[in-house]
Amino acid sequence: MIKVVFCMICALSLLASILTGNTSEMGFAVVEGLQSAVDLSLTLLGVLCLWGGIMRVFSAGGIIKYLTKLLKPILRFIYPDAARKNNGLDEISASMTANFFGLGNAATTFSLAAVSKLQENSGDKERASADLITFTVLNTCAVNFIPTTLIALRYAAGSADPFEIVVPVWLCSLACYGATAFVLRAFALFREK
Amino acid sequence: MELISNLAVPAVLLLVGVVMTFSKQDMMKDFVQGAAEGMKTCVDLLPTLILLLCAVSMFNASGAAEYLSRFVSPVLGRLGIPEELSSLVIVRPVSGGASTAVMESILSKYGADSFVGRCASVVCGSSDTIIYITALYFSAAGVKKTGYALPVAFLSMIFCLSFSCFLCRILF
C-alpha cells in the first residue's frame, strides 16, 4: 500500500512541477524532506521509548485485565452476537484496552484473536458477520489515552503547548466511536431483517 | 480543560512510579522491555518516514498540493474543514506513515498552534488507517464479502473530520 502511495505522490509531484514550472525547488525539497525525517525520528525516539516503557509497566501491573472487566457491559450492547454466545468479548475488550494504551503489538495480537473468535461465532465463511464488521470499523476509530506520536510531532514543530489537544482528541474519538457504534448496530439490525 | 491536558502526563508518570514501587514484581525489567520495543518501533518507522517525507516535500514544492486543494476544498468547506488539510484528508485513511509525513509538513508550514495545526492534530488523533485495518482483519477472517464495512468506515471518517474541526473552532 505504501509503495503505491509513494509512487503516486512522486508521479503527481513530478507532473505538477513541470506543469507549474516549480522545477528548480524540487531537488532541494528532497534534501529538506530528508532532514525533516531525521529530525522527527530523533524526537520520536525519546517519546516512544518513554511511553513504550510506561505502557508496558501498566500492562504488567494488571490494568488491562481490570479495564477489560469494566468494558464488558458496554460491549454486550455493541456486539450482540458475541454476547449471546459468550465467545470473543474478552478478546475484543483486551484489544480495545491495548489500543487505548498505545500498545500496538499487543493490540494487533488481541485483535486477530478477536477476529478468529468472531468468525467462530458466525456461521458464514464467505460473508462478514455483523459483529466482525462492527469490530473492524470501530478499530478504525482510534480511541487513545495519550496520542504520543501526535504529541511528539507537535513538540518537534515547536508548539507552545503540545498537550492542549489531548482533551479535544478524547472528546472527538469518543463521539466518533459512539456514533459509529450506533450506526453499525442499526445496520446490523437492518441486515437481520 | 487546559489543566487536565497539562497535568495528564505528569499524573501518568506519578502513577507509573506508584505502580512500580508498590508492585511485588520487578517492574524495571518491564519498563526496559517496553522502552526497547518503543525504540524498535521508531527505528522501524525511520526508513518509511524518509521515503514518505521526501515524497511529501516534493509534493508541496511542486504545487501539486495546491492543485489538489482546489479540487477538494469546496467539499471540505461545506463540512467545516479548512482546505489546508486536503492532503491529510486524502492520505489519512490510506497510510499511517504518509499521514505522519503530511502532519509534519502541515505543522511546520502553518505552525502547531494555529487553527489549522490544531484541527490537523485533532483529526490525526481521532482516526486511523481504514484501508490497512480492514484489509488485515478481513483477510485474517478469510471473508470476501465485506458488506457495509467500508462505506460506514468512510462515513465515520468524514464525521470525525468535521467534528474535530468543529471542536477546534469552539474550544480554541
Side-chain angles (χ1 to χ4, degrees), chain A residues 13-29, chain B residues 61-63:
Chain A
S13 311
L14 278 169
L15 186 64
S17 71
I18 297 174
L19 289 175
T20 59
N22 288 339
T23 47
S24 53
E25 294 139 33
M26 293 299 277
F28 184 62
Chain B
S62 69

Side-chain angles (χ1 to χ4, degrees), chain B residues 13-23:
Chain B
L13 283 171
L14 175 61
L15 192 59
V16 172
V18 167
V19 169
M20 289 212 292
T21 312
F22 290 104
S23 155

Side-chain angles (χ1 to χ4, degrees), chain A residues 5-6 13 20 29 37 41 49 52-54 56 111 126 128 139-141 150 154 159-161 163-164 167 175 180, chain B residues 5-6 9 13 16 30-31 33-35 37 46 51 53 57 59 62 94 112-113 118 121 128 137 141 144-145 156 163:
Chain A
V5 170
F6 179 69
S13 311
T20 59
S41 301
C49 274
I54 290 180
R56 189 61 180 257
S111 299
E126 287 270 310
N139 263 295
T140 66
C141 304
L150 181 61
R154 289 177 57 82
S159 165
D161 187 6
F163 291 95
E164 66 183 353
V167 173
T180 311
Chain B
S5 292
N6 285 332
V9 177
L13 283 171
V16 172
D30 290 296
F31 182 85
Q33 262 184 316
E37 260 179 45
L46 179 62
L51 266 187
L53 268 173
S57 187
F59 191 69
S62 69
V94 175
D113 296 328
R118 285 166 173 157
S121 307
D128 215 333
Y137 289 11
K144 294 193 187 64
K145 295 195 212 137
S156 159
F163 193 64

